[in-house]
Amino acid sequence: MQLIDGKALAQKVQTSINAEVEQLKQEKNIVPGLAVILIGDDPASHAYVKMKAKACENVGFYSITHNMPDTISQNEIIATIKMMNDNPRIDGILVQFPLPKHIDSDKILEVIDPKKDVDGFHACNIGRMVTNLDSFVACTPLGVMKMFEAYEIDLKGKDVCIVGASNIVGKPMAALLLNQDATVTVTHIHTKDLKSHTSKADIVIVGVGVPGLIKEDMIKEGAIVIDIGINRIEDGSLVGDVDFENVSPKCAYITPVPGGVGPMTIAMLLQNTLKAAKGRL
Ligand code: GUN
């Protein structure tokens, strides 16, 4: 069993981004800028946004966070996004999810300039990604693809089972894998027999937010397991969606939680913001 070390890989990505940012600053006088919009007081969202802002600082980006109360109106959020669309110092705009119930997230995402959509959530970028055109790709699935590349895991013809069909993770993950000629099954809450799908797969990718969902008898010997779940359990520790202790001995490769996919998501946000900033050239 080999661990896929997302923390180390993310660090490597950040070091190379840092070097490119220095060059952009010196040669073109460009400082990549990210605007984050954070609504409400969900502790997990606050923690993620703090990590994103810190990562921006570490690689030399300009970043601002718009903290808004959860009583804010949809129109006020839209006005802020429009301001960021027009702000030449801002290359990337990220609205942290989940949003309060009274906000229509589809309407919010539609307003973001697709050229500044560093989360890759705008329908324009999703459509381009599915058709294998250049686009911004959602950070978590992009981070998983970067892991496969770094560990030289060939995807062609592989049976991949994705557990979770969200717009943010499962669906874009499926499209990226299909573009690499994998055979993809997407399972979700209404799937009749989850184990019948996971136990056949060469690669299982899970991101549903259910601690320990994936058990040893659901994974075949020698499989590759990617755990996207981040769950804080009662004792305060962070665990994924995979029963790591019992599943890991069966795996060829597995990602830990923490230190697996999480750091890669942030590294890919930086990579996407740098890509957006290069669009100024
Ligand atoms: N909430 C959970 N994951 C994400 C993400 O990748 N981007 C945004 N904007 N919100 C999230």
Side-chain angles (χ1 to χ4, degrees), residues 177-232:
L177 289 160
L178 202 49
N179 286 344
Q180 295 299 315
D181 302 319
T183 303
V184 185
T185 303
V186 184
T187 64
H188 45 77
I189 191 104
H190 300 294
T191 296
K192 277 185 278 184
D193 182 1
L194 178 60
K195 182 177 160 184
S196 72
H197 297 283
T198 58
S199 59
K200 281 196 300 239
D202 303 310
I203 302 175
V204 175
I205 303 175
V206 53
V208 289
V210 179
L213 175 72
I214 303 300
K215 309 250 185 310
E216 173 191 1
D217 64 344
M218 298 168 78
I219 296 293
K220 78 174 180 187
E221 201 68 47
I224 296 169
V225 174
I226 307 292
D227 191 349
I228 296 176
I230 303 180
N231 311 291
R232 198 169 288 283

Side-chain angles (χ1 to χ4, degrees), residues 74-233:
Q74 184 157 302
N75 284 342
E76 282 171 282
I77 303 170
I78 288 174
T80 306
I81 294 173
K82 285 185 172 165
M83 220 163 64
M84 295 299 113
N85 280 344
D86 294 337
N87 183 339
R89 285 190 74 187
I90 296 301
D91 299 288
I93 302 168
L94 179 152
V95 180
Q96 185 65 27
F97 277 35
L99 295 177
K101 290 209 166 43
H102 67 282
I103 306 293
D104 180 344
S105 38
D106 294 335
K107 288 250 157 52
I108 297 294
L109 292 178
E110 240 171 39
V111 181
I112 298 174
D113 179 347
K115 291 191 179 66
K116 297 192 176 190
D117 173 35
V118 288
D119 247 336
F121 293 169
H122 194 288
C124 174
N125 279 310
I126 292 169
R128 292 183 62 88
M129 177 198 59
V130 170
T131 46
N132 214 359
L133 294 170
D134 181 54
S135 65
F136 287 107
V137 174
C139 303
T140 299
L142 186 60
V144 173
M145 295 306 280
K146 189 92 183 172
M147 285 173 150
F148 290 139
E149 191 191 318
Y151 282 77
E152 296 179 349
I153 294 168
D154 185 25
L155 297 165
K156 192 173 288 217
K158 293 279 164 61
D159 290 322
V160 185
C161 179
I162 299 171
V163 184
S166 66
N167 287 342
I168 295 182
V169 178
K171 288 184 199 171
M173 192 76 251
L176 292 172
L177 289 160
L178 202 49
N179 286 344
Q180 295 299 315
D181 302 319
T183 303
V184 185
T185 303
V186 184
T187 64
H188 45 77
I189 191 104
H190 300 294
T191 296
K192 277 185 278 184
D193 182 1
L194 178 60
K195 182 177 160 184
S196 72
H197 297 283
T198 58
S199 59
K200 281 196 300 239
D202 303 310
I203 302 175
V204 175
I205 303 175
V206 53
V208 289
V210 179
L213 175 72
I214 303 300
K215 309 250 185 310
E216 173 191 1
D217 64 344
M218 298 168 78
I219 296 293
K220 78 174 180 187
E221 201 68 47
I224 296 169
V225 174
I226 307 292
D227 191 349
I228 296 176
I230 303 180
N231 311 291
R232 198 169 288 283
I233 56 172

